Amino acid sequence: MAEINNNGSSKISVKTPKIKFTKLFINGEFVDSVSGRTFETIDPRTEEVIANIAEGDKEDVDLAVNAARFAFDHGPWPRFSGSERGKIMMKFVDLVLENLEELAALDAIDAGKVFEHGKARDVPFAASILRYYAGAADKIHGKTMKMANQLQGYTLYEPIGVVGHIIPWNFPISMFFFKASPAMAAGCTMVIKPAEQSPLSALFCAHLAKLAGVPDGVINVVTGFGTTAGAAISSHMDIDCVSFTGSTEVGRLVMQAAATSNLKSVSLELGGKSPLIIFDDVDVDSIVNLALLGSFANKGEFCVCSSRIFVQEGIYEEFITKFAKGAKEITVGDPFDPKTRQGPQVDKQQYEKVLSYIEHGKRQGATLLTGGKPCGKKGYYIEPTIFTNVADDMLIATDEIFGPVISVFKFKTIEEAIVRANSTRYGLAAGIATNDLNIANTVSRSLRAGIVWINCYLVFDPDAPYGGYKGSGFGREFGMEGLYKYLQVKSVITPIHNSPWL
Amino acid sequence: MSSPKHEIKFTKLFINGEFVDSLSGNTFETIDPATEQVLATVAEGRKEDVDLAVKAAREAFDTGPWPRLSGEARRKILLKFADLIDENADELATLEVIDGGKLFGPVRYFEVPISSETFRYFAGAADKIRGATLKMSSNIQAYTLREPIGVVGHIIPWNGPAYMFATKVAPALAAGCTMVVKPAEQTPLTVLFFAHLSKLAGVPDGVINVVNGFGNTAGAAVSSHMDIDAVTFTGSTEVGRAVMHAAASSNLKPVSLELGGKSPFIVFDDADIDKAAELAILGNLTNKGEMCVAGSRVFVQEGVHDVFVKKLKVMVKGWATGDPFDLATRHGPQNNKQQYEKVLSCIERGKKEGATLVTGGKPFGTKGYYIEPTLFTNVTDDMSIAKDEIFGPVISVLKFKTVDEVIKRANATKYGLASGVMTKNIDTANTVSRSIRAGAVWVNCFIALDRDAPHGGYKMSGFGREQGLEALEHYLQVKTVATPIYDSPWL
């Protein structure tokens, strides 16, 4: 059984940062909520309160939208050239990197994320997204058209206006920049509502935005709850589009509210039950490492988790033996301990949900290969857990668990693997492990998923569009595609006379 | 003024390549709005019929040939479809006229040819649907594939069935999708004829399915279907809202909406006034005003206001009604009784609100849903005729002083579909075209629709674009495929 390295003691929290920003950020100022209410944010390592954060509600969202609307309709931001916006965004990048440790530490104590991973991966990657879009801001092209009549036409890709971003708790800093960066590059202004579980880093980023020279009102942050602040955003009559990453259930509410209010456009990045399909021509040892990464990174709290691993029968026994061994070796512990590879689940609700799925798995008759229990006396720590002999229709095979719980399945043929991998309402990511070119091509074409990783997993890149098929949502982040939701196409047409060509 | 008795050949649902009755056996009548006579009794599809249609479309997509054909092979069939449209233009135009109160001349010589050209445009796009190889920041080779999204639902309106069918179906076919089309209940006939042509063109069974019926049964069944991958809707804002809501409540299918408009048509002092008057008329009275892009708020700069109104009055009065099959006729009946009553009540409100009724304003004729072309002047921004979409032959003229003022007033609407700007001055044209929040800005022209020009709304006129290669986006999904590379000589 995996043990917590420090028995939940807070000795390691010598690196715990002082919480500097706890208020809403509206129009360039940190302000209390109109109601004066606050809410607590909890440290999942210790179950203790870190800080009291201003709790924004509808009236605070209204103020934020007013500020964003003014900043868009009259302020400098959309009127800057793309390169001027890019310059300010690059300064923002510098500030993020200068404050790398503090940002990573905030997400560690707020969301249980491993500090070393934050410093080495999450924060630098977030900065690279911001840098990518800083460089894209002056390359947003429309087109001149090939009209069938004596007309000159061109398209302009205009900023859509005031954007609402509702971001989740699993990658707080990353998600902040995944959404803010393209919206900024496009010339939009925005209201960001971080998850109530993880408000701290967004507020710190807002502070850095101001230092970077982002004009007042362009970025506003309203911390609070989904049913109040989040709902106020989705249903706001003066927000032009909303971008949401989170659960399918809440995504549904966001889209319904958008429809019921002002028919704002919506982009949704929802859950997944992504398959990793391992063919028997691979080197098992390296694939085991890949599977461990895909399954247990970020304590299983990510939408592209390879939660269904299909292993071809020829290597099945060897794979599950090595996979289980690798899982047992994952050190679960305090996020600041450099030995830790898996921190606590983000909060009590998630922790209990994951444990109840584990119980389901056992009750429905799957074989618990390793793990299955909480660990440590304090904090929301759960052992990396693997089930085998899982039937495709068991809950642990159909539902997104969002925790360190993986189901492994045996398969015979390619056709079978494709059908079973696609038999899910989700369609976010998929992995294929094979050295055979034809298998790689056929299977990558056949899997209904927005991102297919061949002999790799969790490969994200600023230039690689990412998003869902089917119930995993629609819209793409990253790449130039990531800009589209923040732009609107305007066609401008005028007659031409005596043109030498058509 | 009755239309010649015309044989209606296709009145059933079209599912999996066959014309079939609805499962319930229910039917409904479709009326000729020029005579108020019943044209035909048409099969009425409901949820169970939509289920059959989706099943056929799903089978055709998941296992049938259509998505597995190359773009080039789909192109061949789309070109054949275009040719069949041209060969059957008289029939298609006749159906549009008697079912929708449209005029034979414009339909036969504009809308139907535009429909076949739309098929040709997307036929030529089918083999040019590219993804991209990506510029990764680590040793990874990656590319995007733009894959057909699957089974699409199209809910199309009654104001231009032929044009709407082509606009939606052609790109969906080019992308490799299969579909269920639900025409408006007021105009079921044209689309059924297209379905017949699709079979002749070689479109495989199940790729195009047509379920006629009502919005709150068949339409709702499409928006809320758990096995439809995307839905496109053109129609009113109210129904667009219901479509998006149903899409969210069901399987979170992406939607594209093309909704109403209250588009500004702005005439500056330096405009070509004759041209401006002509375009204001075309932009408001074409198709009896039943156009989402109608330039229904005509802003005229004070220097030319009176001269302009005088010209308009003459042209509105001269906008002749007559036999829809006579090429000289300009004006026809409103599409259906409900719309006819709505337009008349909007006119009454305009009068009560204090606008000056210069000409028109009354129904006319002993039969049919005819309303006189109507001109209001001295309209102010707060009047309902300046705010609400009327969708009828009603022109509202408002006066303005300065560029900044008219930009503000033009943008003071929840809609944002189109706009027109009449000026010879380059700076005025550029500033105003940048400042109007609408999906189309037509400078010294109006309703300049074109196959290569993306068309769609800002704000509550909707989202998504039709026409142009942009239209393909609704019918495609982006998949990123990434794999490590070793020893690459460059990155």
Side-chain angles (χ1 to χ4, degrees), chain B residues 288-465:
Chain B
K288 45 248 172 56
E290 288 167 356
M291 303 177 285
C292 39
V293 294
S296 48
R297 290 180 298 150
V298 179
F299 288 95
V300 187
Q301 205 163 21
E302 50 182 9
V304 291
H305 178 273
D306 296 346
V307 167
F308 179 82
V309 167
K310 245 213 210 105
K311 287 188 193 284
L312 260 194
K313 178 176 177 182
V314 169
M315 295 172 83
V316 173
K317 274 179 138 69
W319 194 253
T321 322
D323 177 359
F325 288 90
D326 182 340
L327 297 183
T329 301
R330 288 277 163 274
H331 192 56
Q334 304 314 122
N335 177 280
N336 58 81
K337 187 167 206 258
Q338 194 181 19
Q339 201 46 37
Y340 166 81
E341 287 171 353
K342 181 184 171 209
V343 175
L344 288 173
S345 84
C346 287
I347 291 171
E348 284 317 299
R349 247 182 303 147
K351 280 154 54 176
K352 242 179 264 147
E353 285 166 341
T356 305
L357 179 63
V358 172
T359 182
K362 289 188 302 302
F364 71 93
T366 48
K367 228 172 11 163
Y369 306 126
Y370 289 92
I371 298 177
E372 296 176 331
T374 300
L375 175 60
F376 279 109
T377 56
N378 299 319
V379 177
T380 54
D381 294 358
D382 54 328
M383 293 179 184
S384 68
I385 54 172
K387 296 209 292 242
D388 301 342
E389 187 181 39
I390 299 174
F391 223 67
V394 180
I395 308 178
S396 292
V397 177
L398 305 94
K399 197 188 293 190
F400 77 94
K401 275 191 164 65
T402 69
V403 172
D404 292 333
E405 173 208 339
V406 77
I407 288 171
K408 237 198 257 123
R409 291 170 65 190
N411 281 336
T413 164
K414 64 181 185 256
Y415 293 113
L417 192 52
S419 60
V421 182
M422 302 298 297
T423 178
K424 296 198 187 81
N425 182 283
I426 187 170
D427 292 334
T428 305
N430 282 334
T431 299
V432 177
S433 60
R434 282 286 175 118
S435 307
I436 303 274
R437 304 284 289 161
V441 180
W442 292 314
V443 180
N444 296 328
C445 55
F446 206 71
I447 316 190
L449 297 170
D450 190 284
R451 261 63 63 220
D452 199 39
H455 177 72
Y458 275 39
K459 296 154 65 175
M460 287 179 73
S461 289
F463 45 83
R465 291 296 176 265

Side-chain angles (χ1 to χ4, degrees), chain B residues 102-433:
Chain B
K102 295 166 78 72
L103 300 175
F104 188 79
V107 177
R108 173 67 182 82
Y109 299 107
F110 285 108
E111 289 182 49
V112 171
I114 285 174
S115 304
S116 65
E117 286 307 313
T118 300
F119 268 86
R120 286 193 184 91
Y121 176 92
F122 285 106
D127 56 353
K128 302 174 182 71
I129 296 175
R130 294 181 159 181
T133 55
L134 304 172
K135 199 77 176 147
M136 304 293 268
S137 50
S138 53
N139 285 291
I140 302 276
Q141 162 138 302
Y143 53 86
T144 51
L145 293 169
R146 290 164 71 213
E147 307 195 323
I149 198 168
V151 175
V152 180
H154 294 303
I155 301 175
I156 68 181
W158 44 254
N159 60 334
Y163 174 81
M164 292 293 169
F165 179 89
T167 299
K168 290 182 188 295
V169 168
L173 288 176
C177 292
T178 61
M179 59 213 77
V180 177
V181 182
K182 192 249 166 243
E185 58 267 27
Q186 294 87 347
T187 51
L189 302 181
T190 319
V191 176
L192 290 175
F193 196 88
F194 273 117
H196 159 71
L197 294 181
S198 75
K199 187 143 183 167
L200 294 181
V203 177
D205 291 348
V207 174
I208 296 179
N209 302 276
V210 181
V211 179
N212 275 301
F214 293 87
N216 52 12
T217 46
V222 170
S223 331
S224 59
H225 209 282
M226 294 300 289
D227 203 22
I228 285 179
D229 299 303
V231 66
T232 82
F233 171 81
T234 296
S236 72
T237 300
E238 294 69 47
V239 180
R241 182 170 270 135
V243 168
M244 187 172 172
H245 199 274
S249 308
S250 56
N251 65 343
L252 286 156
K253 56 176 79 56
V255 310
S256 78
L257 302 176
E258 207 259 272
L259 308 176
K262 194 69 183 178
S263 303
F265 181 81
I266 307 173
V267 181
F268 286 91
D269 284 345
D270 71 332
D272 175 341
I273 294 301
D274 289 324
K275 185 83 188 158
E278 182 195 317
L279 290 174
I281 297 293
L282 284 175
N284 276 287
L285 300 182
T286 301
N287 202 41
K288 45 248 172 56
E290 288 167 356
M291 303 177 285
C292 39
V293 294
S296 48
R297 290 180 298 150
V298 179
F299 288 95
V300 187
Q301 205 163 21
E302 50 182 9
V304 291
H305 178 273
D306 296 346
V307 167
F308 179 82
V309 167
K310 245 213 210 105
K311 287 188 193 284
L312 260 194
K313 178 176 177 182
V314 169
M315 295 172 83
V316 173
K317 274 179 138 69
W319 194 253
T321 322
D323 177 359
F325 288 90
D326 182 340
L327 297 183
T329 301
R330 288 277 163 274
H331 192 56
Q334 304 314 122
N335 177 280
N336 58 81
K337 187 167 206 258
Q338 194 181 19
Q339 201 46 37
Y340 166 81
E341 287 171 353
K342 181 184 171 209
V343 175
L344 288 173
S345 84
C346 287
I347 291 171
E348 284 317 299
R349 247 182 303 147
K351 280 154 54 176
K352 242 179 264 147
E353 285 166 341
T356 305
L357 179 63
V358 172
T359 182
K362 289 188 302 302
F364 71 93
T366 48
K367 228 172 11 163
Y369 306 126
Y370 289 92
I371 298 177
E372 296 176 331
T374 300
L375 175 60
F376 279 109
T377 56
N378 299 319
V379 177
T380 54
D381 294 358
D382 54 328
M383 293 179 184
S384 68
I385 54 172
K387 296 209 292 242
D388 301 342
E389 187 181 39
I390 299 174
F391 223 67
V394 180
I395 308 178
S396 292
V397 177
L398 305 94
K399 197 188 293 190
F400 77 94
K401 275 191 164 65
T402 69
V403 172
D404 292 333
E405 173 208 339
V406 77
I407 288 171
K408 237 198 257 123
R409 291 170 65 190
N411 281 336
T413 164
K414 64 181 185 256
Y415 293 113
L417 192 52
S419 60
V421 182
M422 302 298 297
T423 178
K424 296 198 187 81
N425 182 283
I426 187 170
D427 292 334
T428 305
N430 282 334
T431 299
V432 177
S433 60

Side-chain angles (χ1 to χ4, degrees), chain A residues 233-261:
Chain A
I233 287 177
S234 329
S235 58
H236 208 282
M237 294 301 288
D238 203 20
I239 285 179
D240 299 302
C241 97
V242 66
S243 143
F244 172 82
T245 296
S247 72
T248 299
E249 293 68 43
V250 180
R252 176 165 282 132
L253 294 174
V254 169
M255 189 171 170
Q256 284 172 336
T260 315
S261 56

Side-chain angles (χ1 to χ4, degrees), chain A residues 18-264:
Chain A
K18 174 166 173 293
I19 309 304
K20 300 184 188 115
F21 305 103
T22 58
K23 298 189 188 198
L24 313 180
F25 184 74
I26 296 180
N27 209 25
E29 303 297 328
F30 283 100
V31 294
D32 288 310
S33 63
V34 168
S35 66
R37 281 203 310 273
T38 60
F39 67 102
E40 294 171 339
T41 189
I42 308 287
D43 185 337
R45 306 171 299 160
T46 60
E47 303 172 48
E48 283 160 14
V49 176
I50 306 170
N52 286 301
I53 310 293
E55 186 197 326
D57 203 323
K58 186 184 179 311
E59 54 270 13
D60 305 287
V61 170
D62 286 341
L63 286 176
V65 173
N66 284 347
R69 172 57 63 199
F70 190 86
F72 184 79
D73 284 357
H74 306 291
W77 189 246
R79 291 157 188 78
F80 281 155
S81 65
S83 59
E84 284 172 293
R85 282 195 289 279
K87 247 208 216 113
I88 292 174
M89 290 167 71
M90 288 303 291
K91 178 93 184 100
F92 203 166
V93 171
D94 291 340
L95 288 164
V96 167
L97 295 175
E98 282 164 34
N99 290 273
L100 179 110
E101 286 216 359
E102 181 153 2
L103 286 166
L106 285 172
D107 275 3
I109 62 171
D110 210 6
K113 293 174 68 66
V114 174
F115 183 57
E116 290 304 318
H117 296 166
K119 284 195 299 179
R121 293 206 293 261
D122 289 20
V123 179
F125 185 70
S128 74
I129 296 292
L130 182 56
R131 199 184 281 119
Y132 177 93
Y133 285 109
D138 58 353
K139 300 175 184 69
I140 296 176
H141 293 146
K143 299 195 175 54
T144 53
M145 298 177 232
K146 200 78 176 147
M147 305 290 271
N149 293 295
Q150 309 272 355
L151 292 165
Q152 165 135 303
Y154 56 84
T155 50
L156 293 169
Y157 279 67
E158 306 197 323
I160 198 168
V162 175
V163 180
H165 295 303
I166 300 175
I167 68 182
W169 43 256
N170 60 338
F171 287 89
I173 292 161
S174 312
M175 291 289 172
F176 182 96
F177 287 106
F178 293 172
K179 297 209 183 283
S181 309
M184 290 172 76
C188 293
T189 60
M190 59 209 82
V191 178
I192 300 176
K193 188 231 161 273
E196 57 267 27
Q197 294 88 342
S198 55
L200 302 179
S201 53
L203 293 173
F204 194 88
C205 290
H207 158 73
L208 296 180
K210 184 146 185 165
L211 291 182
V214 176
D216 291 348
V218 173
I219 292 180
N220 304 275
V221 180
V222 178
T223 44
F225 293 88
T227 47
T228 46
I233 287 177
S234 329
S235 58
H236 208 282
M237 294 301 288
D238 203 20
I239 285 179
D240 299 302
C241 97
V242 66
S243 143
F244 172 82
T245 296
S247 72
T248 299
E249 293 68 43
V250 180
R252 176 165 282 132
L253 294 174
V254 169
M255 189 171 170
Q256 284 172 336
T260 315
S261 56
N262 66 342
L263 287 157
K264 55 174 77 56

Side-chain angles (χ1 to χ4, degrees), chain A residues 358-374:
Chain A
I358 293 173
E359 286 315 302
H360 263 296
K362 286 170 15 193
R363 233 179 298 135
Q364 288 193 300
T367 304
L368 182 61
L369 191 62
T370 182
K373 288 189 293 306

Side-chain angles (χ1 to χ4, degrees), chain B residues 19-146:
Chain B
F19 283 100
V20 293
D21 289 310
S22 64
L23 283 175
S24 62
N26 283 329
T27 58
F28 66 103
E29 291 174 339
T30 188
I31 311 286
D32 181 341
T35 62
E36 299 174 55
Q37 301 294 311
V38 174
L39 281 172
T41 303
V42 177
E44 186 206 325
R46 294 195 189 164
K47 186 182 176 315
E48 55 271 16
D49 305 287
V50 170
D51 285 341
L52 283 181
V54 172
K55 202 148 163 285
R58 172 58 62 200
E59 178 86 19
F61 185 79
D62 283 359
T63 57
W66 191 246
R68 289 156 189 77
L69 290 177
S70 64
E72 201 175 74
R74 283 196 288 280
R75 182 186 68 195
K76 268 218 192 83
I77 292 174
L78 287 167
L79 288 175
K80 180 93 182 102
F81 204 154
D83 288 342
L84 285 164
I85 292 173
D86 289 338
E87 285 162 32
N88 290 272
D90 283 341
E91 171 80 17
L92 286 164
T94 301
L95 289 172
E96 293 274 276
V97 170
I98 60 181
D99 210 7
K102 295 166 78 72
L103 300 175
F104 188 79
V107 177
R108 173 67 182 82
Y109 299 107
F110 285 108
E111 289 182 49
V112 171
I114 285 174
S115 304
S116 65
E117 286 307 313
T118 300
F119 268 86
R120 286 193 184 91
Y121 176 92
F122 285 106
D127 56 353
K128 302 174 182 71
I129 296 175
R130 294 181 159 181
T133 55
L134 304 172
K135 199 77 176 147
M136 304 293 268
S137 50
S138 53
N139 285 291
I140 302 276
Q141 162 138 302
Y143 53 86
T144 51
L145 293 169
R146 290 164 71 213

